Amino acid sequence: MTHCAVSALSAEQLTVLSIIQQWQNTLQSSILNTAELALYMQMTKKKKEKLVRDIYFADKKSKEFYHCADGRVKSYKPQFICATEEKLIDKLFSYYFERKFEDIYRDWIKYRFKTKIVSGKTIEEDVGIWKRYIANTKLAEMNILDIKPKHIKEVFDTWTGNGLITRKAFNNRKSVLNGIFDYAVINELIERNPITSLSCSELKFKNSVPSQKAYTKDERQKLLDYLTTLEPDAYVLAITLAFYGIFRIGEIKGLVWDGKSNAITIQQQLVEERILQDDFSFSAPIRVLKDPKGNPHYSIRKEYLPDVAIEALNQMKALNPDGELLFMHRGRPLTTDTFNNRLKKYCGAVGIPYLSSHKIRFTNASILRDEGVDPIDIQPLLGHSNLAMTQHYIEQRVSNMDDTQMAKILA
C-alpha cells in the first residue's frame, strides 16, 4: 500500500485515527499540565506508530524499515529518509493523513513539468490561475481528505457571483482544480474527484464578447503595404513572410533556408521555455530548438511561397548570410514578444485592430478557404494531424463580401 484514503481503512483503524486526531487537538490546547502533556504525547506517539505500521507494511514482506549504513531510516513507496524511526513515522503519518490541497497541487505541477505531458506554457498558465484564484481560498489549506463538494461549491459561487466572470474563465479555473483532484485519484490519495458530484447549471456567467480571430483581407493588405515602406530588418521581414504563409511564429524563428528554391521546409521551431524553480516561479526564457508542434509526421512539411515571399527570404539571407538560423536580429534569434510588439506597433500605424502573431495563421488559412481551397488541402499546410482542428482555423471571416457571396464560395 502506497497511499491511504480514509475510506480504505478498517473500522478499527478509523477509530485509532479519530483518537489520534482528538489527542492532537488536546495537545494544542493550553489546559494540560506538564505531566498530562507528556502522557498525551506518549499515547499519541504509540497510536500513530501502530497505525502507520499497519498501513505501510500491509503489502510488504518485511515488517521493518530499512536502516542505512549512516544510521538513517528509510521507507519505500513512499520514499522518505529520516534521522530516526520516530521521525519517519511522523513523516509517513503526515503523508497518509495530513496532505494539504496545496501539497497535492505542488506535486501535480512538478509531475507535469518532469514528464512534459503538457507544454511549459500551459503549466505557467495553471500556476498563474492557482496563485490568483485558488491559493488564498480555504481550499488550499484543507486536508485533501476533508474536501467535500460543498467546499468546492463555495469557491465556485465566490468566483461567479451574479455573473462576475465568463464561462471560459470559469472553465479555466475549474480545469486546474480538476487536474489536481484527478492527480490525487490516480495516486490513490482519494477515491474520487469531488467536482464530479457538482452541477454547474445554476451558476451565472458574464456574457463574453466574441473576439476577432483573423485579420480581414483589407487589414492584411494595409499591413503588407505599410511593411514595404519600412527599412527591412529581421522583424519586418519575418512579419512579411508570416502574411504569405501558414506558419507558427516558432517555425519562422527556427527557419533555415538555402536560397535555392521557392519552397521552404518546416522542420523545427524555436521556442522560449522557462524552468520551474523551487519556489514555483519560472526562470528567464531559454531558447530551445525542437520539432514543430504536433505530430511530426504532419507538422514537418514543405510549403511553396509566392515570389514576394521569396524576395523577403532573399533580403533576410543578404542581411544574415552566415547565421545558424535565417531570421536573426543583431546576431540573436527572434523572440515572440518582440515580434508581437512590432506587429502591434505596425497595426497602430495603419489604424487597424492588433491581433497576435498566431492570428496571422488563422488569417491566411481562412483566405485560402475563401478562395475555394478545400479544407483537406489546407490541412497539410497547417501541419494538422486532424481535419477538425483545421476547420477551427478556417471558419473566420476575412473578407468583406456579403453573406450571399460568402455562401457561394463556401459551397
Side-chain angles (χ1 to χ4, degrees), residues 130-354:
W130 172 273
K131 289 180 177 179
R132 290 193 300 273
Y133 308 116
I134 305 172
N136 293 325
T137 66
K138 70 177 183 179
L139 209 63
E141 292 298 315
M142 290 182 69
N143 184 330
I144 192 168
L145 296 170
D146 295 332
I147 296 176
K148 302 294 188 289
K150 66 177 182 180
H151 300 121
I152 301 166
K153 181 64 165 55
E154 290 175 3
V155 173
F156 286 179
D157 289 342
T158 301
W159 285 347
T160 58
N162 190 25
L164 295 175
I165 60 174
T166 64
R167 183 180 292 275
K168 180 179 180 181
F170 170 76
N171 285 338
N172 288 340
R173 301 179 196 184
K174 180 184 173 185
S175 177
V176 172
L177 292 179
N178 267 322
I180 301 168
F181 282 120
D182 287 344
Y183 176 81
V185 171
I186 291 171
N187 286 276
E188 301 181 342
L189 299 171
I190 55 176
E191 286 198 330
R192 63 195 301 270
N193 181 343
I195 294 180
T196 59
S197 301
L198 287 175
S199 169
C200 298
S201 60
E202 296 180 358
L203 298 177
K204 296 181 180 180
F205 301 102
K206 180 194 295 184
N207 292 329
S208 57
V209 179
S211 59
Q212 185 178 346
K213 293 185 178 180
Y215 291 94
T216 67
K217 287 182 178 179
D218 286 347
E219 290 168 345
R220 171 181 177 271
Q221 192 59 52
K222 283 182 180 180
L223 272 171
L224 286 172
D225 289 344
Y226 178 71
L227 290 169
T228 63
T229 69
L230 301 177
E231 183 71 24
D233 66 9
Y235 284 103
V236 169
L237 294 171
I239 293 171
T240 300
L241 177 67
F243 276 103
Y244 285 109
I246 312 183
F247 315 113
R248 298 177 179 92
I249 178 61
E251 294 169 350
I252 293 177
K253 293 190 300 181
L255 191 64
V256 293
W257 184 65
D258 59 11
K260 298 178 180 178
S261 70
N262 66 337
I264 56 174
T265 301
I266 307 298
Q267 55 190 359
Q268 62 185 10
Q269 62 172 331
L270 182 69
V271 297
E272 290 102 27
E273 295 186 343
R274 300 175 188 266
I275 304 299
L276 181 68
Q277 302 183 114
D278 291 342
D279 62 354
F280 279 72
S281 63
F282 289 85
S283 68
I286 300 171
R287 295 186 181 95
V288 180
L289 280 171
K290 56 199 313 184
D291 284 344
K293 184 178 178 181
N295 186 329
H297 179 73
Y298 298 92
S299 60
I300 295 177
R301 62 202 188 277
K302 180 174 287 190
E303 295 203 16
Y304 290 88
L305 299 170
D307 290 343
V308 64
I310 296 300
E311 176 56 29
L313 292 176
N314 282 324
Q315 285 182 281
M316 190 63 240
K317 193 72 174 176
L319 291 174
N320 181 39
D322 302 315
E324 177 185 358
L325 302 171
L326 177 61
F327 285 94
M328 300 184 74
H329 183 67
R330 297 175 180 173
R332 298 170 64 89
L334 307 189
T335 70
T336 301
D337 284 347
T338 304
F339 184 104
N340 282 320
N341 287 338
R342 287 283 199 99
L343 180 58
K344 186 174 185 178
K345 176 182 176 181
Y346 302 152
C347 286
V350 297
I352 65 173
Y354 160 72

Side-chain angles (χ1 to χ4, degrees), residues 64-119:
E64 294 296 331
F65 295 111
Y66 179 79
H67 288 260
C68 305
D70 60 5
R72 292 183 299 168
V73 187
K74 186 175 185 178
S75 66
Y76 294 94
K77 293 184 180 181
Q79 181 171 306
F80 298 115
I81 302 178
C82 296
T84 66
E85 191 166 298
E86 181 179 348
K87 290 183 177 180
L88 182 60
I89 293 291
D90 286 339
K91 190 80 172 178
L92 288 168
F93 184 84
S94 294
Y95 174 79
Y96 292 139
F97 302 111
E98 297 175 348
R99 303 292 303 280
K100 292 194 303 183
F101 190 58
E102 183 173 9
D103 296 332
I104 311 304
Y105 151 74
R106 290 176 176 272
D107 289 346
W108 174 64
I109 291 294
K110 288 188 287 188
Y111 166 75
R112 296 198 303 161
F113 190 81
K114 179 180 178 181
T115 58
K116 300 188 183 302
I117 57 176
V118 295
S119 70

